[in-house]
Each structure stands twice: as structure tokens, then as C-alpha cells.
Amino acid sequence: MTSTLEIRDLHVTVESDGADKEILTGVTLTIRAGETHAVMGPNGSGKSTLAYAIAGHPKYTVTSGAITLDGEDVLAMSVDERARAGVFLAMQYPVEVPGVSVSNFLRSSATAVRGEAPKLRLWVKEQKEAMARLEMDPAFSERSVNEGFSGGEKKRHEILQLELLRPRFAVLDETDSGLDVDALRVVSEGINRVRESGETGVLLITHYTRILNYIKPDFVHVFVRGKIAESGTADLADELEANGYAKYGVEALAPAGGRSLPTGPVLPGVVSPA
Amino acid sequence: MASALSTEREALKATGGVMDGAIATNVKPSTPRSPADVRPERIRSADPDVFGVPTGREEEWRFTPLARLRPLLDGAVSDARLEVTSTLPDGVELVGVPTAEVDVPLPVDRLAALALQRCGSSLVLRVPKGLELDEPVVVRLAGTGPGHVVWGHVVVELAEQSRATVVLEHVGSASYAAVVSVLVGDGAALQLVQVQNWADDTLHAAHVASRLGRDATLRSTQVTLGGSLVRVTETVDFTAPGGDVELRGVSFADDGQHLEHRLLVDHSVPHCRSRVTYKSALQGEQAHTVWIGDVLIRAAAEGTDTYELNRNLLLTPEARADSVPNLEIETGEIAGAGHASATGRFDDEQLFYLMARGIPADAARRMVVRGFFAEVVESIGVPDLEERLMATIETELERAFT
């Protein structure tokens, strides 16, 4: 049976200054194992909120709608249960965990997700090879998780976890942001290795089209004001690259390599003029 | 003022006490301090009555739950003992000696004075002159029940130019007040580890009183995990230049535990070095840790180099960590002096990150605390010892987070 992650009419609020603000206003999306869906949209459209809501971050409250994984209620699961059920989130801003070494962290994660501790000798080899593929210095494994890592190192570390944990569904939250061309290539190759297995569904959240030169999505969704405004094939990304989001009533897409910064507070569904 | 102080000091000497640490009028403390941080006098005496019975209003008792400590404060005469087992490398002596016959630093508070007065005999560990040990000396003190008050005195004595690692382990159940006198001779080097791994009902009050000779080195590590109330005061007296001390500690306070570590490093002679690194992690409703770091640099202690650091990690919001660093400097001719203290919470974002990788919340907390402590333990520099201590800590954390 092909695994399916199904998101139905998802509404999510986040608490801000004591008031609940609705960020997601009805997201419906179905992803099957082996498929890659790109979600693109302007700043503040709610893309990251979707990522966190799937992973179960406590700051985000699902007010209505459903997420199921092969029919199982994901929303009823705790954060760690979701991960063990096969949901993975590569974070835009990976968290520093001082005092916990990368090797300890990776092995603990693999043990949790696989349900048993990997045999030490095999594991050491597996980790070493995965790090080599991502062109990571072996010395990384003795450093504290994400502590003092550069932006590119953090993202490689996220994709390292993706490769080692082999989730059924991976949400990649702006994994491409802040990467130079070299790092983008290495990271994209890592993602493609996981895609090629055909066993992982990928939700690729991005602000740019440039990562789509490396990773060809099966579907592209335009995210505007907390929901999907339009869905299409990879061609839709080319159209966005050419015309921006003007037709959706928001700012132009930032040129490749750059990113327009909001000039004021980012409100859900409200984007400052470029 | 000086003459009034010296008169008072003379008067105290006559009664067997010494008043220490009078603050000179030109002191420029490195940080602003509250009145509570100022300790104008420090009494050291063998006579319990010099200290009086604590009421809880005294600076040195204000954090301690005195009601819980009552069985010891009452000072009942008792000949109960802890059971002693030991692993002694060749050449090391462990003997009972009448307490009156050993010359040790003076007690720092009433309980320490009572312990010396009431214990009758002292357990003396001697490493002879020039002996260098590779194997650790292990002395295990086991309590057989909290019902009886136990007064104790342990002496760890390294003769000149000797080198040893000594592990003093406390286990079982007891109401135990003790002095641990640590005498490090000229050019000697002691790696001392004390583990408080008591049962939940234990009361333990200790004065670890170190005295260092010329060019002596002391590495002291306190690992405090078990016990209802543990209060350890560690004092360091330098008697000659070249002394080098590192005091480390990790404590883990669970619901209902009060774990208190008070340090007084007295730089009274020139060119000595001290480093203090203490970390505690806490969880639960009535978990409380206290860390007091007093460093005194007297006018004569030119060339002193000192730094102290305290870090506390609150795993749950109700736990409470008190931290009072205090540096008193009476001379400007020093190599360095500083302190840092910070209390942080286990971050929700850290927890989310670890859980998002499938690691359950309890295991995630355990990982973070283990990492937090490992930084201190791994600075000991003796791999076997580090492994043993981390295994002990691991067992405690397994118990706490399940």
C-alpha cells in the first residue's frame, strides 16, 4: 500500500500578544509516498505554520480540520509519536542543543524512529557514509547539536537526519534559504537520494524557485493568505518565476537569490509592498 | 576600624576562634551587591557554642530548611557510625585516630564543630610522602538508617610530593554531620571526588575543609544526586604560594530535595590559582538548589588568579535555584578575578526539536541534563573516573525521568 498524508481543511491559529490569530485558513492537500510537492508563497503566507502544524509544535493550535497518515489521526499524536509514525520536519532554523553531541543525537533519533538501537558498528559506518555524501567533516559528530554551526552546516545536518531516518513524509521548511550554490547542490542531492527510493513523500516549502532547478516537483502549490490559491505541475513554478504573485493580489516574487524583506510587522495574509 | 577588628580577633583567638575576612574600606567589588551578599566576618572555631544555634536569619543559614535539619541541629550525643568499605592501593593507610590528635582546619559552622566534638575518632586516609598512585583510592560510607544521628570526621592526607585519586562515596540512609579535612602537602596533587548518592530520607551536612601547602594541587568534584537535604560547605585555605585548586560540582535536585553547596576560597597568600565550576539541574515542585560562591582575595594575596562559574538548569517552572557569587578583593595586584552565574530553563524549542526526531520528552530531558553535566565531569581529565561518574549520573537520571 502506498502511504498517504492527507490534510483536510486545516485551520491553525497562533497566539500573538495574548490574542489568537488565524494563520491557516483551510488547507487541503494530499501527498503520496514518492511524490514531491512544492509549496511556494510570499512571506507571511503561512507556509512555515503549515510545516510546524504537521510536526505538532505546541505554539500552533489546530482549530479545525484533519491530518491523517494512512488514515491514522496525526493530530492526536504527540510530537515524538508523529516522528515515530514517519513524519519528519527539516527546520528552517534548527535549534542548538548545547551538551548533546551530534553522534549521540543521531543515534538516539535512529533508535527512537526505528524502534531498536542500530548495531553500533553498522551504525558508525552508516553515519560516516551519510556524512561523507553530504560533504560533512567527520569531526562534526563530536560537536554539540547545531551549536556554532554555520547556516549551511545546519541545513546539511538536517538533511543528514533525513537520510538516516528515512521518514515516510518529509516536510522541508525553506531548507534552501541561506545556502550558497555549492551547499544548495549538496543538500539537493541529499533530498534527491531520499526521493529516489520512492518511499518518501516530500513537501518542499520554499520562497525561491532556484531549488527547483535541482529538485523537480511533481506538483506546485501557490500558498496565499493561509491556503492554497492554485495548484499545478512544475510549469506553475516557471510561471511564478516570470510573473510573481501579482495575479494573487500580492507582491512580486523576489528575484532568485534575493529576498524582499517586509518593511513592517508581518501579519497573516498581509504583505508589505515590495 | 582596623584596631577594633584586631582587638576582636584577639578576643576570639582567646576562645579558640578566629575571625576571618574583615572587609577593608577600599574594597572595589567587581559586581554590585545586595546587603545579603556582604559577609563582614567569618568565624572559624572548634567550639560549637561560638556559632550559636542557627535561627534561619543568619546569612549562612538563610536558604537551608532548618526544620528538616533539626535532628542534627539538636546535637544529640551518638556513637552511631557509617559502615566503611574501601579499596586501598598498596602504601595507602586507612586508620582510626582519636580526633584530638589530628591537626585540621577549624570548622566553619556549628554542625561542623559539633561533628568534630562528637565523633570521637577520625577516619584518616594517608598517602605517604612521594607515593604516586595510578589506581584510585575508594572509600565508601554507607548509612544504615536515618534514625540515628551520625557524627563523623574523615581526613584525607597527602604527604608532600605524593599524588592520588580519592573517591569518597556516600550511600544508604543516614542523618549525618561530618567534617572532611583535606590536607594536601607541599607539591602534592589530589584528585578528590565525593559522591552524594544517598537514599531519599537522608540528611547530610558536611564541611569539606581543605588546606594546601606550597605548590599543592587540588581537584575536587562534588556529585550530589541523592538525599532529602544535603548541605556541603567547602573551604579552601592556601598556606603558601603556588597552590592550585579546581572545585567542580554537579547536582541534580528532584522533587522535594534541597541540595546546597557553599564554597569559600580564601586567597590569603600570593600566587595561588582557583577555579570553581558548579552546575545544577532541577525538576519538580519542591526541588531546590543553592550555590554560594565566596572568593576572598586578601591584601597579601598578590598575583591571585580566580574565576568561578555557576550554571543552573530548571527543567520545570516550580523548581528553584539560588545562586550567589561573591568576590571580595582587597588588593589590586592580581592576575585575574571574575565570576559568572546564570539560571536557564530547558527551552521548549530544544524539547520540540528532540521530540520531532522521535525522542520522547523524558528521554529528551535526560539527554539534555546528561550533556549539561558531562561538560563538568569530562573536565576531570581521568577517563575511568569520568565514565564511572557518568554511569552513576545516568542511573539517577533514568530513575528521575521515567
Side-chain angles (χ1 to χ4, degrees), chain A:
Chain A
M1 187 186 82
T2 308
S3 280
T4 306
L5 182 74
E6 204 176 349
I7 301 167
R8 260 179 296 131
D9 195 25
L10 193 70
H11 290 251
V12 172
T13 62
V14 62
E15 200 193 290
S16 169
D17 298 326
D20 286 337
K21 281 190 178 131
E22 189 170 67
I23 310 283
L24 298 189
T25 55
V27 178
T28 297
L29 182 62
T30 300
I31 307 170
R32 289 178 186 81
E35 293 176 353
T36 296
H37 294 243
V39 168
M40 307 192 63
N43 282 333
S45 59
K47 304 186 300 292
S48 285
T49 298
L50 176 62
Y52 279 123
I54 295 170
H57 193 291
K59 205 174 112 191
Y60 300 88
T61 307
V62 175
T63 51
S64 69
I67 304 176
T68 57
L69 178 55
D70 296 339
E72 279 189 73
D73 184 2
V74 171
L75 295 177
M77 300 178 194
S78 61
V79 176
D80 54 317
E81 285 170 346
R82 294 180 197 200
R84 293 197 296 273
V87 176
F88 179 86
L89 169 62
M91 293 188 206
Q92 187 182 358
Y93 303 110
V95 182
E96 297 186 2
V97 191
V100 175
S101 71
V102 167
S103 63
N104 179 14
F105 168 66
L106 292 176
R107 189 149 194 267
S108 300
S109 304
T111 302
V113 167
R114 296 177 189 180
E116 60 176 356
K119 295 241 177 344
L120 192 56
R121 276 186 54 195
L122 295 175
W123 171 251
V124 168
K125 187 163 175 275
E126 188 182 350
Q127 185 192 315
K128 219 173 129 185
E129 288 172 357
M131 288 179 78
R133 284 196 298 270
L134 288 162
E135 298 175 20
M136 295 175 78
D137 185 339
F140 256 83
S141 57
E142 293 317 309
R143 290 173 63 180
S144 287
V145 171
N146 293 321
E147 197 177 38
F149 287 22
S150 70
E153 288 165 347
K154 284 182 180 171
K155 296 300 172 71
R156 285 176 204 228
H157 182 226
E158 292 295 285
I159 301 308
L160 174 65
Q161 295 165 50
L162 172 69
E163 284 207 64
L164 290 170
L165 299 179
R166 294 282 165 154
R168 283 199 276 172
F169 289 94
V171 181
L172 311 178
D173 187 11
E174 302 208 16
T175 296
D176 52 334
S177 67
L179 295 183
D180 60 30
V181 175
D182 212 34
L184 182 62
R185 174 188 55 80
V186 170
V187 159
S188 298
E189 285 170 4
I191 296 167
N192 283 332
R193 282 190 292 274
V194 172
R195 292 172 67 217
E196 279 157 15
S197 72
E199 289 165 5
T200 299
V202 174
L203 185 64
L204 182 73
I205 293 174
T206 180
H207 189 78
Y208 312 120
T209 51
R210 112 188 138 129
I211 194 171
L212 305 183
N213 296 327
Y214 298 90
I215 298 170
K216 291 291 167 211
D218 302 299
F219 303 95
V220 172
H221 308 279
V222 184
F223 215 69
V224 181
R225 295 186 196 91
K227 63 169 78 170
I228 291 169
E230 189 177 355
S231 297
T233 58
D235 297 343
L236 182 54
D238 298 333
E239 193 192 318
L240 286 170
E241 176 72 10
N243 304 325
Y245 296 105
K247 72 184 254 199
Y248 309 101
V250 291
E251 64 165 342
L253 182 63
R259 178 169 187 166
S260 62
L261 294 170
T263 52
V266 180
L267 299 175
V270 179
V271 175
S272 341

Side-chain angles (χ1 to χ4, degrees), chain B residues 65-146:
Chain B
L66 290 181
R68 220 189 299 178
L69 204 54
R70 191 53 61 197
L72 293 172
L73 288 169
D74 284 346
V77 174
S78 163
D79 57 4
R81 288 273 177 266
L82 301 183
E83 284 174 2
V84 182
T85 49
S86 61
T87 308
L88 304 176
D90 287 345
V92 177
E93 184 184 54
L94 184 67
V95 290
V97 174
T99 302
E101 291 175 17
V102 288
D103 170 36
V104 296
L106 286 169
V108 78
D109 62 25
R110 180 178 177 84
L111 284 179
L114 280 171
L116 276 194
Q117 190 183 65
R118 310 241 143 137
C119 65
S121 81
S122 304
L123 186 66
V124 181
L125 178 81
R126 286 201 184 101
V127 180
K129 182 175 169 178
L131 182 64
E132 301 199 3
L133 297 172
D134 291 321
E135 292 299 303
V137 179
V138 180
V139 178
R140 191 180 167 94
L141 301 175
T144 53

